[in-house]
Amino acid sequence: MTRPLTAAQRRLIEAADPGTGRLRGTEAQLTALVKRGLAFRHPRPPHDHFLTPAGHRAREAAQAQAQAEPSEPSEPQAPASTGGVFAARAGGEPVPRAAEGPARTREVRSAWQGMLELRRMTNPDASTDRPCAWERTHLVQAAALALEAAGHRPAGAAEGEDGYRVRETPQPDAVAVHAPDAPTLRACVETLEASGWQAGEYTEPRTRRRYVLASPRRV
């Protein structure tokens, strides 16, 4: 189970620049946030630290909690649905019913906006129309976020709950996307291409089922 944010970590995240997500703190504090997936260190000098999409979500959760808290101070708790770190749904994972609905929609929308900001901050030309370095090292989650943010439904854990499924492949820079039917698969291709991915349909030699192979576009 993911540990909740400490009071110091919450203050650090809340103090991040609202536009860029730039963080200020000690090296130890920033390193701790990086280890939790809430921040990243910019590869170019001066190597500042910025919130990841998960960090933006944690900040929003902390701000919402602060507004809802009573006057007595209490130890901050992470959102129950995400354990404090947003995770896009790759399909097939069990999802608590309480995590569905409008709240999830807002969470996904916010995470996608955070991803676009991350692209702007880290792509050399500030481009937001193609994946950034973080997405290239988190292929399944990045592709799943693009699909979920566009309104595609992930497959459920129960049998018969059809939807998309994003899976790793032997190729280090590509993921496979499976869907229950041809129209859904084609719609996934269109979404991924519009989100900056190269995507094409292929046939599994053994099962003859169609699937999508997608990789982040570089130019």
Side-chain angles (χ1 to χ4, degrees):
M1 181 178 295
T2 305
R3 291 177 290 106
L5 294 173
T6 66
Q9 288 173 332
R10 186 170 73 168
R11 286 194 297 270
L12 198 67
I13 288 175
E14 289 178 331
D17 185 281
T20 66
R22 180 176 295 175
L23 292 157
R24 298 295 184 188
T26 67
E27 191 65 28
Q29 289 173 326
L30 297 172
T31 298
L33 291 179
V34 170
K35 289 180 178 178
R36 297 191 61 165
L38 302 176
F40 72 97
R41 184 173 183 266
H42 200 286
R44 297 196 300 273
H47 302 297
D48 287 332
H49 288 72
F50 298 85
L51 291 176
T52 62
H56 283 283
R57 283 297 313 138
R59 178 171 65 175
E60 289 190 4
Q63 291 172 341
Q65 181 179 343
Q67 294 174 357
E69 282 176 347
S71 56
E72 295 85 358
S74 60
E75 182 66 19
Q77 299 295 318
S81 62
T82 63
V85 177
F86 174 85
R89 291 176 186 157
E93 63 271 78
V95 178
R97 182 168 297 180
E100 298 285 0
R104 177 64 184 183
T105 300
R106 290 193 298 270
E107 189 176 50
V108 172
R109 185 184 304 117
S110 178
W112 179 246
Q113 291 303 314
M115 182 65 74
L116 294 179
E117 179 64 15
L118 190 61
R119 289 181 177 186
R120 187 183 72 80
M121 290 298 303
T122 59
N123 279 333
D125 58 355
S127 172
T128 61
D129 63 359
R130 69 176 186 277
C132 61
W134 186 91
E135 291 169 274
R136 298 178 195 284
T137 57
H138 299 76
L139 293 172
V140 170
Q141 187 171 349
L145 175 58
L147 292 171
E148 192 176 358
H152 296 279
R153 183 168 58 88
E159 186 176 353
E161 293 184 2
D162 284 333
Y164 70 77
R165 296 173 188 266
V166 183
R167 297 293 182 263
E168 294 182 347
T169 72
Q171 300 185 38
D173 61 347
V175 293
V177 180
H178 304 270
D181 52 57
T184 302
L185 196 65
R186 184 62 217 167
C188 288
V189 170
E190 293 174 356
T191 291
L192 289 169
E193 289 179 340
S195 302
W197 293 66
Q198 297 178 143
E201 293 186 41
Y202 298 86
T203 301
E204 293 180 344
R206 192 164 51 83
T207 65
R208 308 307 300 170
R209 291 185 60 184
R210 298 285 286 174
Y211 70 99
V212 170
L213 193 65
S215 58
R217 183 166 55 82
R218 294 189 177 277
V219 294

